Amino acid sequence: KVREMELVKQRQQQQEEEERKMKEEQKREEEKKKEEVNDTTEDDLLDDFFNEVEETNTTTTTATPEPTTTTPEPAAPQSNNISKQLTKLGTPLSQINRLLPPNYEWKNLNPFYVLDIPHTAPLDIISRRYKALSLLIHPDKCAEKRAKEAFEQVRIAMTLLKEEEKRKHVHDLIEQGQKQGTRDYQVSRTSTTTPTLLSKEEEEKQLQSFQEKAIMKVFATIEQKRRDVERRKRAQEKRERDQEEEEKNKVKKEMEFHKRWREGDRVDRRVGSWRDFQGGDGDKKKKKSRWS
Protein backbone atom coordinates (compact mmCIF):
# COMPACT_ATOMS: atom_id res chain seq x y z
CA LYS A 1 0.00 0.00 0.00
CA VAL A 2 2.84 2.38 0.80
CA ARG A 3 4.35 1.69 -2.61
CA GLU A 4 1.02 2.30 -4.32
CA MET A 5 0.60 5.60 -2.52
CA GLU A 6 4.09 6.61 -3.59
CA LEU A 7 3.31 5.83 -7.24
CA VAL A 8 0.05 7.77 -7.07
CA LYS A 9 1.86 10.81 -5.63
CA GLN A 10 4.55 10.63 -8.27
CA ARG A 11 1.91 10.52 -11.02
CA GLN A 12 0.14 13.50 -9.47
CA GLN A 13 3.41 15.41 -9.28
CA GLN A 14 4.23 14.63 -12.91
CA GLN A 15 0.78 15.73 -14.02
CA GLU A 16 1.05 18.99 -12.08
CA GLU A 17 4.52 19.60 -13.50
CA GLU A 18 3.27 19.04 -17.06
CA GLU A 19 0.35 21.41 -16.52
CA ARG A 20 2.69 24.04 -15.10
CA LYS A 21 5.04 23.73 -18.07
CA MET A 22 2.13 24.02 -20.50
CA LYS A 23 0.92 27.21 -18.80
CA GLU A 24 4.42 28.69 -18.81
CA GLU A 25 4.83 27.81 -22.48
CA GLN A 26 1.53 29.47 -23.32
CA LYS A 27 2.55 32.54 -21.35
CA ARG A 28 5.89 32.73 -23.17
CA GLU A 29 4.14 32.39 -26.53
CA GLU A 30 1.75 35.22 -25.67
CA GLU A 31 4.59 37.49 -24.54
CA LYS A 32 6.57 36.61 -27.66
CA LYS A 33 3.62 37.53 -29.89
CA LYS A 34 3.18 40.79 -27.97
CA GLU A 35 6.87 41.66 -28.43
CA GLU A 36 6.65 40.81 -32.14
CA VAL A 37 3.68 43.15 -32.50
CA ASN A 38 5.60 45.96 -30.74
CA ASP A 39 8.69 45.32 -32.85
CA THR A 40 6.60 45.31 -36.03
CA THR A 41 5.00 48.61 -35.04
CA GLU A 42 8.42 50.18 -34.44
CA ASP A 43 9.72 48.82 -37.76
CA ASP A 44 6.65 50.13 -39.58
CA LEU A 45 7.14 53.58 -38.07
CA LEU A 46 10.78 53.57 -39.15
CA ASP A 47 9.81 52.46 -42.67
CA ASP A 48 7.26 55.27 -42.83
CA PHE A 49 9.92 57.71 -41.74
CA PHE A 50 12.42 56.55 -44.37
CA ASN A 51 9.73 56.67 -47.05
CA GLU A 52 8.88 60.21 -46.02
CA VAL A 53 12.55 61.17 -46.14
CA GLU A 54 12.82 59.72 -49.65
CA GLU A 55 9.80 61.75 -50.75
CA THR A 56 11.47 64.97 -49.59
CA ASN A 57 14.11 64.59 -52.28
CA THR A 58 13.62 68.02 -53.75
CA THR A 59 11.81 69.84 -50.97
CA THR A 60 13.06 71.00 -47.59
CA THR A 61 10.76 70.59 -44.61
CA THR A 62 12.72 72.79 -42.22
CA ALA A 63 13.35 76.48 -42.18
CA THR A 64 16.69 77.53 -43.61
CA PRO A 65 19.19 77.65 -40.72
CA GLU A 66 20.67 80.97 -39.74
CA PRO A 67 23.79 81.59 -41.81
CA THR A 68 26.98 81.84 -39.84
CA THR A 69 28.90 85.04 -40.47
CA THR A 70 32.52 85.95 -39.90
CA THR A 71 31.72 89.66 -39.58
CA PRO A 72 31.41 90.49 -35.87
CA GLU A 73 28.12 92.07 -34.93
CA PRO A 74 27.95 95.00 -32.53
CA ALA A 75 27.76 93.91 -28.94
CA ALA A 76 24.16 93.76 -27.71
CA PRO A 77 22.55 92.75 -24.45
CA GLN A 78 21.53 89.12 -24.23
CA SER A 79 17.88 90.09 -23.86
CA ASN A 80 18.02 91.88 -27.24
CA ASN A 81 19.54 88.81 -28.90
CA ILE A 82 16.75 86.63 -27.51
CA SER A 83 14.18 89.18 -28.69
CA LYS A 84 15.62 88.96 -32.21
CA GLN A 85 15.44 85.17 -32.10
CA LEU A 86 11.83 85.31 -30.92
CA THR A 87 11.02 87.43 -33.96
CA LYS A 88 12.70 84.91 -36.28
CA LEU A 89 10.99 81.91 -34.64
CA GLY A 90 7.50 83.16 -35.42
CA THR A 91 4.38 82.08 -33.53
CA PRO A 92 4.15 79.37 -30.86
CA LEU A 93 1.82 77.33 -33.07
CA SER A 94 4.23 77.40 -36.01
CA GLN A 95 7.04 76.11 -33.79
CA ILE A 96 4.84 73.41 -32.26
CA ASN A 97 3.85 72.22 -35.74
CA ARG A 98 7.51 72.22 -36.78
CA LEU A 99 8.53 70.19 -33.73
CA LEU A 100 5.65 67.69 -33.81
CA PRO A 101 5.09 66.59 -37.43
CA PRO A 102 4.39 62.94 -38.33
CA ASN A 103 7.30 60.70 -37.28
CA TYR A 104 8.74 63.52 -35.15
CA GLU A 105 10.35 60.97 -32.79
CA TRP A 106 12.76 60.10 -35.63
CA LYS A 107 13.18 63.58 -37.10
CA ASN A 108 14.00 65.10 -33.72
CA LEU A 109 16.89 62.72 -33.08
CA ASN A 110 19.12 65.52 -34.39
CA PRO A 111 19.11 68.15 -31.60
CA PHE A 112 20.32 70.91 -33.95
CA TYR A 113 17.27 70.22 -36.09
CA VAL A 114 15.08 70.61 -33.00
CA LEU A 115 16.63 73.97 -32.10
CA ASP A 116 16.71 74.97 -35.78
CA ILE A 117 20.29 76.26 -35.73
CA PRO A 118 23.48 75.30 -37.63
CA HIS A 119 25.49 72.43 -36.18
CA THR A 120 28.50 74.75 -36.02
CA ALA A 121 26.77 77.07 -33.52
CA PRO A 122 28.71 77.60 -30.26
CA LEU A 123 27.24 76.85 -26.85
CA ASP A 124 26.20 80.45 -26.13
CA ILE A 125 24.09 80.56 -29.32
CA ILE A 126 22.60 77.17 -28.44
CA SER A 127 21.68 78.43 -24.96
CA ARG A 128 20.06 81.60 -26.31
CA ARG A 129 18.02 79.63 -28.83
CA TYR A 130 16.87 77.29 -26.07
CA LYS A 131 15.80 80.25 -23.93
CA ALA A 132 13.98 81.83 -26.87
CA LEU A 133 12.09 78.61 -27.63
CA SER A 134 11.32 78.21 -23.93
CA LEU A 135 9.77 81.67 -23.80
CA LEU A 136 7.73 80.82 -26.87
CA ILE A 137 6.37 77.31 -26.20
CA HIS A 138 6.91 76.54 -22.50
CA PRO A 139 3.60 75.09 -21.23
CA ASP A 140 3.53 77.70 -18.44
CA LYS A 141 3.65 80.47 -21.05
CA CYS A 142 1.86 78.87 -24.00
CA ALA A 143 -1.80 77.84 -24.03
CA GLU A 144 -1.53 75.58 -27.10
CA LYS A 145 -2.59 71.97 -26.45
CA ARG A 146 0.66 70.32 -27.54
CA ALA A 147 3.00 72.89 -26.01
CA LYS A 148 4.17 70.51 -23.27
CA GLU A 149 5.05 67.79 -25.77
CA ALA A 150 6.85 70.22 -28.06
CA PHE A 151 8.82 71.78 -25.21
CA GLU A 152 9.91 68.29 -24.09
CA GLN A 153 11.60 67.85 -27.49
CA VAL A 154 13.45 71.14 -26.98
CA ARG A 155 14.47 70.19 -23.43
CA ILE A 156 15.87 66.83 -24.57
CA ALA A 157 17.86 68.52 -27.34
CA MET A 158 19.37 71.06 -24.95
CA THR A 159 20.23 68.35 -22.40
CA LEU A 160 22.17 66.55 -25.12
CA LEU A 161 23.97 69.58 -26.53
CA LYS A 162 25.11 71.15 -23.26
CA GLU A 163 27.60 68.29 -22.78
CA GLU A 164 30.69 68.95 -24.87
CA GLU A 165 31.45 65.30 -25.66
CA LYS A 166 27.90 64.54 -26.80
CA ARG A 167 27.75 67.78 -28.76
CA LYS A 168 30.93 66.81 -30.63
CA HIS A 169 29.49 63.37 -31.36
CA VAL A 170 26.33 64.95 -32.83
CA HIS A 171 28.49 67.36 -34.85
CA ASP A 172 30.48 64.44 -36.31
CA LEU A 173 27.30 62.56 -37.24
CA ILE A 174 25.97 65.61 -39.09
CA GLU A 175 29.28 65.99 -40.94
CA GLN A 176 29.05 62.32 -41.89
CA GLY A 177 25.51 62.82 -43.19
CA GLN A 178 26.49 65.90 -45.17
CA LYS A 179 29.28 64.01 -46.93
CA GLN A 180 26.94 61.12 -47.73
CA GLY A 181 24.31 63.57 -49.01
CA THR A 182 26.89 65.20 -51.28
CA ARG A 183 27.82 61.81 -52.73
CA ASP A 184 24.14 60.92 -53.23
CA TYR A 185 23.54 64.22 -54.98
CA GLN A 186 26.52 63.73 -57.31
CA VAL A 187 25.37 60.20 -58.16
CA SER A 188 21.84 61.43 -58.93
CA ARG A 189 23.22 64.10 -61.26
CA THR A 190 25.60 61.81 -63.14
CA SER A 191 23.12 58.90 -63.41
CA THR A 192 20.61 61.03 -65.30
CA THR A 193 21.03 60.75 -69.08
CA THR A 194 19.74 64.27 -69.67
CA PRO A 195 20.47 66.26 -66.49
CA THR A 196 18.25 69.24 -65.89
CA LEU A 197 19.99 72.55 -66.17
CA LEU A 198 19.78 74.26 -62.80
CA SER A 199 20.83 77.63 -61.58
CA LYS A 200 23.47 77.84 -58.88
CA GLU A 201 20.81 78.64 -56.30
CA GLU A 202 18.69 75.65 -57.35
CA GLU A 203 21.71 73.36 -57.22
CA GLU A 204 22.51 74.53 -53.68
CA LYS A 205 18.91 73.92 -52.58
CA GLN A 206 18.88 70.45 -54.10
CA LEU A 207 22.25 69.60 -52.53
CA GLN A 208 20.96 70.83 -49.15
CA SER A 209 17.89 68.60 -49.55
CA PHE A 210 20.06 65.54 -50.21
CA GLN A 211 22.25 66.39 -47.22
CA GLU A 212 19.29 66.84 -44.87
CA LYS A 213 17.86 63.51 -46.01
CA ALA A 214 21.20 61.74 -45.43
CA ILE A 215 21.59 63.34 -41.98
CA MET A 216 18.13 62.11 -40.93
CA LYS A 217 19.04 58.61 -42.11
CA VAL A 218 22.30 58.62 -40.13
CA PHE A 219 20.52 59.48 -36.88
CA ALA A 220 17.61 57.09 -37.56
CA THR A 221 19.94 54.18 -38.38
CA ILE A 222 21.91 54.68 -35.15
CA GLU A 223 18.70 54.89 -33.13
CA GLN A 224 17.42 51.72 -34.79
CA LYS A 225 20.62 49.88 -33.82
CA ARG A 226 20.32 51.17 -30.25
CA ARG A 227 16.74 49.91 -30.04
CA ASP A 228 17.77 46.53 -31.44
CA VAL A 229 20.43 46.22 -28.73
CA GLU A 230 17.88 47.18 -26.07
CA ARG A 231 15.42 44.67 -27.50
CA ARG A 232 17.96 41.83 -27.38
CA LYS A 233 18.98 42.87 -23.87
CA ARG A 234 15.37 42.77 -22.67
CA ALA A 235 14.87 39.38 -24.31
CA GLN A 236 17.98 37.99 -22.60
CA GLU A 237 16.94 39.38 -19.22
CA LYS A 238 13.49 37.85 -19.69
CA ARG A 239 14.97 34.45 -20.53
CA GLU A 240 17.13 34.62 -17.41
CA ARG A 241 14.12 35.60 -15.28
CA ASP A 242 12.05 32.76 -16.75
CA GLN A 243 14.84 30.28 -16.11
CA GLU A 244 15.26 31.50 -12.54
CA GLU A 245 11.50 31.30 -11.98
CA GLU A 246 11.43 27.80 -13.42
CA GLU A 247 14.19 26.69 -11.05
CA LYS A 248 12.34 28.21 -8.09
CA ASN A 249 9.12 26.46 -9.08
CA LYS A 250 10.98 23.17 -9.46
CA VAL A 251 12.52 23.46 -5.98
CA LYS A 252 9.14 24.47 -4.56
CA LYS A 253 7.41 21.46 -6.16
CA GLU A 254 10.06 19.11 -4.84
CA MET A 255 9.71 20.53 -1.33
CA GLU A 256 5.94 20.22 -1.49
CA PHE A 257 6.21 16.64 -2.73
CA HIS A 258 8.61 15.66 0.05
CA LYS A 259 6.40 17.40 2.58
CA ARG A 260 3.33 15.50 1.38
CA TRP A 261 5.35 12.32 1.29
CA ARG A 262 6.52 12.74 4.90
CA GLU A 263 2.99 13.50 6.04
CA GLY A 264 1.64 10.47 4.16
CA ASP A 265 4.43 8.27 5.55
CA ARG A 266 3.59 9.35 9.12
CA VAL A 267 -0.09 8.54 8.53
CA ASP A 268 0.84 5.14 7.16
CA ARG A 269 3.04 4.44 10.18
CA ARG A 270 0.33 5.56 12.60
CA VAL A 271 -2.25 3.39 10.85
CA GLY A 272 0.16 0.44 10.81
CA SER A 273 1.00 0.91 14.48
CA TRP A 274 -2.68 1.02 15.39
CA ARG A 275 -3.36 -2.15 13.43
CA ASP A 276 -0.40 -3.86 15.06
CA PHE A 277 -1.67 -2.74 18.42
CA GLN A 278 -5.17 -3.99 17.62
CA GLY A 279 -3.75 -7.28 16.40
CA GLY A 280 -1.57 -7.68 19.49
CA ASP A 281 -4.45 -6.86 21.81
CA GLY A 282 -6.61 -9.49 20.09
CA ASP A 283 -3.93 -12.15 20.59
CA LYS A 284 -3.75 -11.27 24.25
CA LYS A 285 -7.51 -11.66 24.56
CA LYS A 286 -7.36 -15.02 22.81
CA LYS A 287 -4.58 -16.21 25.07
CA LYS A 288 -6.46 -14.96 28.11
CA SER A 289 -9.66 -16.74 27.09
CA ARG A 290 -7.68 -19.89 26.38
CA TRP A 291 -6.25 -19.95 29.90
CA SER A 292 -9.43 -18.94 31.62
Side-chain angles (χ1 to χ4, degrees), residues 52 70 89 93 110 141 152 159-160 164 233 249 257:
E52 185 180 343
T70 55
L89 289 172
L93 183 59
N110 177 3
K141 302 177 183 297
E152 180 64 14
T159 301
L160 188 64
E164 184 178 357
K233 184 180 177 182
N249 288 333
F257 171 76

Side-chain angles (χ1 to χ4, degrees), residues 120-128 158 161-163 167:
T120 53
L123 185 58
D124 60 332
I125 298 295
I126 294 171
S127 299
R128 284 201 288 271
M158 185 60 197
L161 291 178
K162 69 182 180 182
E163 295 186 29
R167 188 168 65 251

Side-chain angles (χ1 to χ4, degrees), residues 27 71 95 138 146 148 179 182 189 261 265 273:
K27 185 178 178 181
T71 305
Q95 283 299 316
H138 194 285
R146 299 193 298 166
K148 183 177 181 180
K179 291 177 182 178
T182 302
R189 295 290 292 167
W261 168 252
D265 192 35
S273 299

